[in-house]
Amino acid sequence: MKSGFLAAAAAAVVVSASAVAGAATLDTVKQRGFVQCGVNAGLPGFGNPDSAGNWTGLDVDYCRAVAVAIFGDANKVKFTPLSAQQRFPAIQSGEVDLLSRNTTATLTRDTSVGLNFAPVTYYDGQGFMVPKKLGVKSAKELNGATVCVQSGTTTELNLADYFRANNMTYNPVVIESNDEVNAAYFAGRCDVLTTDVSGLAGTRAGVAPVPDDHVILPEVISKEPLAPAVRHGDDQWFDIVKWTVYATIQAEEFGITSKNIDEFANSKNPDIQRFLGTSPGMGKALGLDEKWAYNVVKKVGNYAEIFDRNVGPGTPLKLERGLNALWTKGGLMYAQPFR
């Protein structure tokens, strides 16, 4: 009885989510006048409000980019801060149109959770941070450690797999709220904090009382491709989000930035003409203005600009491009053709 009830409940969620998505999200967003975007409740570099409620971050910029693609205005977006437990019900129910919240794309999330993932906006992996005073140099030295971890995440599952695979034991301190996980670590309740390496860098830079008192260990124990997500059932909306991400990557490939984009207006390159909308067709295919990609790059920037201002070497996070470099520079960032 219990398993039958749970199966029926899960099916009902998927059917409900499909019905919500099938209501033509683009039309709903246009009628409302803004994109409702689900983001992290507070992760420096990715989704973080200041004291005045102004949101910044790499994930936030992709919310703004989708708003620009539709409205030509980066301010036509409202943000819904979501915990790890809240994020999937919020996108399934239609509370938000788009989830851009450092979320790992996985098979089960793509299927049973009912999500379609846009292209990856940050290739990440799970790591460990420890107080420098412990003198730990490797995750292989963490046998018997107490580890702070957020519940309802791939982080929690990866942690168990890693320690089991290396014949080590650990004492988990599992907490729902990311802020409370960080607070527990900095209060000394745990020896170790684990999450995505980008998240550790953001926490060390933005939350640690003395950032230099903490070190991120060299081991990366998982693949965490972080990507925006939408509900199943609305292909046009998925296409818009997907190609908005690709537009930022393609612009970097072309060498087009928010500052120099107007210099390409008279380009004779047919690929650039299609991209900027001077040769029509790409906008119509998505149900958008022909200058949608031009607007995205002009008002939000290309991928390099988004990366550098939020998480790059010149920010408190000091992250290098690494896997997030273009494919032409040894990374994984690659846009499908605009044709």
Side-chain angles (χ1 to χ4, degrees):
M1 289 289 291
K2 184 176 180 181
S3 61
F5 173 78
L6 290 175
V13 169
V14 172
V15 170
S16 175
S18 296
V20 170
T25 308
L26 179 60
D27 292 341
T28 301
V29 168
K30 284 183 172 180
Q31 290 168 8
R32 187 196 303 131
F34 59 88
V35 176
Q36 193 74 49
C37 197
V39 294
N40 197 299
L43 180 62
F46 288 84
N48 202 40
D50 63 18
S51 58
N54 299 310
W55 286 85
T56 60
L58 187 145
D59 289 337
V60 166
D61 276 350
Y62 277 102
C63 298
R64 297 193 190 281
V66 172
V68 171
I70 297 165
F71 297 107
D73 186 342
N75 294 315
K76 296 281 189 176
V77 59
K78 293 188 179 180
F79 301 101
T80 301
L82 299 169
S83 70
Q85 290 72 26
Q86 294 168 333
R87 56 185 167 174
F88 298 142
I91 188 69
Q92 289 169 332
S93 67
E95 178 185 350
V96 297
D97 309 308
L98 167 64
L99 185 66
S100 186
R101 189 208 169 278
N102 61 296
T103 297
T104 303
T106 71
L107 186 150
T108 53
R109 290 173 176 179
D110 198 7
T111 54
S112 58
V113 178
L115 302 182
N116 281 331
F117 284 94
V120 173
T121 53
Y122 192 92
Y123 287 96
D124 210 343
Q126 185 173 332
F128 300 97
M129 184 164 70
V130 299
K132 185 182 293 183
K133 65 183 180 181
L134 293 183
V136 173
K137 303 298 183 185
S138 167
K140 299 292 180 63
E141 301 173 30
L142 296 178
N143 189 30
T146 300
V147 184
C148 277
V149 60
Q150 188 176 12
S151 62
T153 62
T154 56
T155 306
E156 186 180 7
L157 304 176
N158 296 334
L159 175 65
D161 287 348
Y162 180 77
F163 274 79
R164 186 183 304 114
N166 287 280
N167 296 313
M168 298 192 301
T169 62
Y170 69 103
N171 301 304
V173 176
V174 183
I175 303 173
E176 178 176 341
S177 162
N178 187 57
D179 288 344
E180 292 177 7
V181 171
N182 293 337
Y185 169 73
F186 291 116
R189 287 181 58 192
C190 332
D191 306 308
V192 185
L193 177 64
T194 186
T195 188
D196 298 344
V197 172
S198 65
L200 294 175
T203 298
R204 182 172 63 177
V207 182
V210 183
D212 287 344
D213 285 351
H214 302 269
V215 295
I216 298 173
L217 300 179
E219 288 85 359
V220 176
I221 68 168
S222 69
K223 294 186 292 185
E224 306 295 332
L226 309 181
V230 299
R231 294 177 293 278
H232 280 179
D234 189 335
D235 289 344
Q236 182 189 24
W237 183 245
F238 178 44
D239 287 344
I240 289 169
V241 175
K242 175 172 64 176
W243 286 96
T244 296
V245 175
Y246 278 144
T248 65
I249 299 168
Q250 184 61 62
E252 185 182 359
E253 285 194 48
F254 284 145
I256 298 175
T257 70
S258 60
K259 297 179 177 60
N260 71 12
I261 191 168
D262 290 321
E263 297 172 17
F264 290 82
N266 297 316
S267 172
K268 303 302 181 184
N269 183 328
D271 291 330
I272 293 177
Q273 290 175 345
R274 283 191 296 271
F275 181 75
L276 297 181
T278 54
S279 176
M282 300 299 99
K284 181 179 179 181
L286 291 169
L288 301 175
D289 186 271
E290 292 295 348
K291 296 189 71 175
W292 69 275
Y294 167 91
N295 290 333
V296 167
V297 179
K298 181 73 172 178
K299 298 183 180 182
V300 181
N302 68 21
Y303 183 79
E305 292 177 286
I306 294 170
F307 184 100
D308 288 344
R309 73 167 163 260
N310 289 301
V311 301
T315 70
L317 276 70
K318 298 181 171 60
L319 294 173
E320 299 293 338
R321 287 288 292 269
L323 294 177
N324 297 293
L326 290 179
W327 64 286
T328 54
K329 297 181 179 179
L332 298 177
M333 286 296 169
Y334 184 107
Q336 294 179 5
F338 279 69
R339 60 179 315 117

